[in-house]
Amino acid sequence: MSDQEYVRIENVSKTFYVKNNRIDALKDINLTIAKDEIVSIVGASGCGKSTLLRLICGLEREYEGALSINGHKLNGPSRGVGVVFQEHRLLPWLTVEQNIYLAVNHLPKSEKKELVAKYLELVDLPGTENFFPHQLSGGMAQRVAIARALVSNPRILLLDEPLGALDALTRKNMQKEILQIWEKDKITMIMVTHDIDEAIFLGSRVIVMTSRPGTIKRDITVPPSMAKDYTDPEFIRLRNEIYHEFSL
Ligand SMILES: Nc1ncnc2c1ncn2[C@@H]1O[C@H](COP(=O)(O)OP(=O)(O)O)[C@@H](O)[C@H]1O
Ligand SMILES: [Mg+2]
């Protein structure tokens, strides 16, 4: 299996049944993602973005079509896939360190301690081991959630609107940090967002989805030479192009 097709999604459809209602959440999704690529997925609320991520991390086992990672058909939840959600989901009665330990519980304590220090450093929060979640700002808590997702050394990191609850300035800083983490700790990332700027800033490609049923409308490559600058004319042109896809 080539690294170009590290994540392979073929003709995937997902239907939910709620009482007598049929909800076509995803229809005929075809998508391949290369190893160590960051792909952004944008689309309106309810278009099936979270459902697609749940399929990729093996949480949703009933679907049509085929899904594979590194040539292996997906078969249930995988240790090799880390997930970060919009809410940090840290346990409030545990410290930062104890929350991260949960992801690597099987390792000896000394090794766990070392890993926690390494990943807190990576997300720019050194020395916060003994803080409790309520003592962290929203951005800090979300960085801990990212550290917790990365500590088990996943092959793929799925991010489901992880910055959605943050204020605009923190959000912009976190976008830069995610990009830095990706540069330091090369990993395949799939980032769901409804923020077009964020999608362009982070992604090497931006996948635009339609709603009901969720399908892929466009797969837009972000020119690698393009400046990661929201005011750059090429950035603005791409933003307008993607915005236009939404408004049609
Ligand atoms: N467990 C579920 N049971 C029934 N319907 C669901 C379930 N999960 C998602 N859906 C429906 O599938 C559609 C896509 O949802 P979701 O993937 O959460 O969208 P998004 O993340 O893009 O906002 C929505 O119509 C939602 O109501
Ligand atoms: Mg969602």
Side-chain angles (χ1 to χ4, degrees), residues 128-162:
T128 53
E129 278 87 344
N130 296 319
F131 283 55
F132 283 91
H134 76 271
Q135 296 170 319
L136 306 172
S137 70
M140 288 163 84
Q142 207 48 302
R143 297 212 295 268
V144 174
I146 293 172
R148 182 185 52 183
L150 289 174
V151 74
S152 57
N153 197 20
R155 300 167 293 167
I156 300 177
L157 184 64
L158 306 179
L159 301 136
D160 193 355
E161 307 199 38

Side-chain angles (χ1 to χ4, degrees), residues 44-51 53 86 160-161 192 194:
S45 183
C47 76
K49 303 180 296 295
S50 295
T51 303
L53 291 195
Q86 181 166 356
D160 193 355
E161 307 199 38
V192 160
H194 52 240

Side-chain angles (χ1 to χ4, degrees), residues 13-27:
S13 299
K14 171 72 191 172
T15 305
F16 292 106
Y17 293 93
V18 179
K19 293 200 173 143
N20 292 324
N21 291 319
R22 178 192 160 110
I23 301 163
D24 289 313
L26 296 171
K27 186 144 184 63

Side-chain angles (χ1 to χ4, degrees), residues 11-115:
N11 298 320
V12 164
S13 299
K14 171 72 191 172
T15 305
F16 292 106
Y17 293 93
V18 179
K19 293 200 173 143
N20 292 324
N21 291 319
R22 178 192 160 110
I23 301 163
D24 289 313
L26 296 171
K27 186 144 184 63
D28 293 330
I29 301 285
N30 283 290
L31 182 64
T32 55
I33 295 167
K35 193 167 175 355
D36 300 339
E37 186 179 20
I38 307 190
V39 171
S40 300
I41 300 178
V42 290
S45 183
C47 76
K49 303 180 296 295
S50 295
T51 303
L52 185 59
L53 291 195
R54 287 173 60 80
L55 286 170
I56 298 171
C57 67
L59 281 172
E60 201 73 69
R61 298 174 77 156
E62 283 183 25
Y63 56 89
E64 285 169 54
L67 262 163
S68 65
I69 296 176
N70 199 20
H72 300 286
K73 191 175 172 344
L74 261 184
N75 188 19
S78 163
R79 269 198 166 273
V81 182
V83 192
V84 181
F85 300 95
Q86 181 166 356
E87 335 76 61
H88 55 73
R89 300 193 185 184
L90 299 174
L91 299 177
W93 59 88
L94 297 180
T95 62
V96 163
E97 178 175 66
Q98 289 164 340
N99 266 287
I100 302 176
Y101 277 176
L102 290 180
V104 280
N105 232 346
H106 56 291
L107 298 178
K109 181 122 188 216
S110 60
E111 208 171 314
K112 281 196 290 198
K113 239 187 158 46
E114 228 171 85
L115 279 172

